[in-house]
Amino acid sequence: MPPVPPAHRPRRPTERPEPRTTSPAADGAVAAAAWARVAALAGSEVVAAAPARWGFTNRTWLATLADGRRVAVQLLAGREVARRRLRVGARLAERLAAAGVPTAPLLGGDADAAAPFALHAFVAGRNGAEALAADAGAVRLARLMGGLAPRLAAVDTRGLRLPSTWADPARLAGAARRWLERAGPRLDGATSRALRAAVAGVEPLFAGRRPVFAHGDFAPVNVLLAPVPGRRAETAAALLDLEFARPADPLLDVAWWGWIVRFHHPSRWPVAWPAFLAAAGGPDASAAFADRVRTLQLLRLLELLDRAGRRAADTWAARLAVTARW
């Protein structure tokens, strides 16, 4: 996470409020009423805010309160996502903590606001994607996030009422057939054939495998890194953006992390992927492992295409076409 600009530093109680060089209401997506709601939930006026440099599906603002505290205000992509995040957030955070996975504490939120949002305690750190600037950083990040994967899989999902489509191979195959039918006009012939083969292989590939907790968007951009005191090393300060959490095959988070790095950071993938797999429990050279990873990547992309709005759909279709040719 970037350092706070001087005009946005928390003031001491004896100082006068600083000028708002970036107004919390400056973003057209954020109404003044929403910021008033943030202040009510936080128990202190918002005196300044600036957008975080990270955030794709959800945009995040880092806000300074009149009492000197800082909070993260995340604008959520739709009311359904917001309701699920707020309903599950507190209980899920407790279970993640019990499994050794740190998160940013949820302070509240409003799914019915003009711009639905979640309010989180501020967690200092830099975004994990920044570590991918060089091979050495990519390997360190891969080992750190690979080590988180088994902890995530150990999280207890009972009573959380998470989406269950990915927990059952037959149900997943049925959903994927519907996604593929709706996506048809956007896909070229080679991509359609690859997807039909992937869908046909879901039940034989995944039958009998016990579902576990999955983050659902396990990616470098969704972890904050903080220095380890007294050492030249970093640790995971917080895992972010859990609105896609679900029970799924144990390889879903592994497969998605691999896709994100290979697609968006291809020069780092050759060194990062083996390091990630080793930290996640050891590399698996079997054909079944490779087939499962590929199938999960294609189906997750197909699901995202199915959920995408008109503007984003062509982007996801293009990503599917590239991935189908790997």
Side-chain angles (χ1 to χ4, degrees):
M1 192 176 295
V4 182
H8 295 160
R9 286 187 188 134
R11 64 186 177 90
R12 293 187 295 273
T14 56
E15 293 178 337
R16 299 179 65 183
E18 298 156 335
R20 295 183 184 178
T21 57
T22 304
S23 167
D27 189 329
V30 185
W35 284 102
R37 177 67 174 143
V38 169
L41 287 169
S44 183
E45 179 190 359
V46 178
V47 297
R53 290 191 298 180
W54 37 265
F56 298 96
T57 303
N58 303 309
R59 188 173 183 186
T60 300
W61 284 72
L62 305 178
T64 301
L65 305 178
D67 62 11
R69 288 179 295 143
R70 298 183 70 199
V71 293
V73 182
Q74 191 168 48
L75 309 182
L76 300 173
R79 300 192 192 286
E80 180 183 349
V81 168
R83 290 190 180 101
R84 183 165 61 246
R85 167 80 75 89
L86 298 176
R87 174 178 60 80
V88 175
R91 285 186 297 164
L92 183 53
E94 293 174 358
R95 298 189 189 188
L96 287 163
V101 179
T103 58
L106 178 66
L107 304 178
D110 191 340
D112 297 316
F117 69 90
L119 178 66
H120 290 270
F122 173 76
V123 176
R126 67 170 181 144
N127 191 268
E130 296 178 24
L132 294 167
D135 279 356
V139 169
R140 288 193 294 269
L141 176 71
R143 289 171 178 161
L144 192 153
M145 294 195 73
L148 284 178
R151 299 186 212 169
L152 281 170
V155 171
D156 182 6
T157 63
R158 290 175 297 179
L160 293 178
R161 292 188 292 145
L162 297 173
S164 60
T165 298
W166 286 74
D168 177 77
R171 193 180 304 132
L172 177 59
R177 282 190 287 270
R178 294 189 293 274
W179 300 334
L180 181 54
E181 182 178 356
R182 290 192 289 263
R186 295 185 182 274
L187 304 175
D188 60 42
T191 304
S192 293
R193 288 190 294 274
L195 286 168
R196 285 196 296 271
V199 172
V202 168
E203 292 188 67
L205 269 177
F206 297 100
R209 290 169 61 85
R210 185 178 68 86
V212 300
F213 176 84
H215 179 283
D217 193 12
F218 194 55
V221 75
N222 281 331
V223 67
L224 294 179
L225 306 177
V228 177
R231 294 174 53 194
R232 296 184 62 183
E234 290 181 306
T235 188
L239 190 63
L240 309 174
D241 290 3
L242 286 139
E243 64 265 26
F244 297 115
R246 64 192 68 187
D249 186 84
L251 284 178
L252 177 60
D253 279 345
V254 171
W256 192 242
W257 194 94
W259 181 84
I260 288 287
V261 175
R262 184 173 181 178
F263 187 89
H264 292 288
H265 309 274
S267 64
R268 305 296 174 226
W269 186 77
V271 296
W273 183 235
F276 179 90
L277 291 179
D284 185 336
S286 70
F289 174 85
D291 287 345
R292 288 184 180 117
V293 166
R294 173 179 167 80
T295 298
L296 291 167
Q297 290 172 342
L298 289 173
L299 265 58
R300 182 69 178 115
L301 288 165
L302 185 59
E303 180 185 33
L304 289 167
L305 170 58
D306 189 69
R307 294 182 175 183
R310 185 174 300 177
R311 291 182 180 179
D314 288 342
T315 297
W316 287 111
R319 291 171 176 174
L320 257 172
V322 171
T323 307
R325 289 162 175 77
W326 284 352

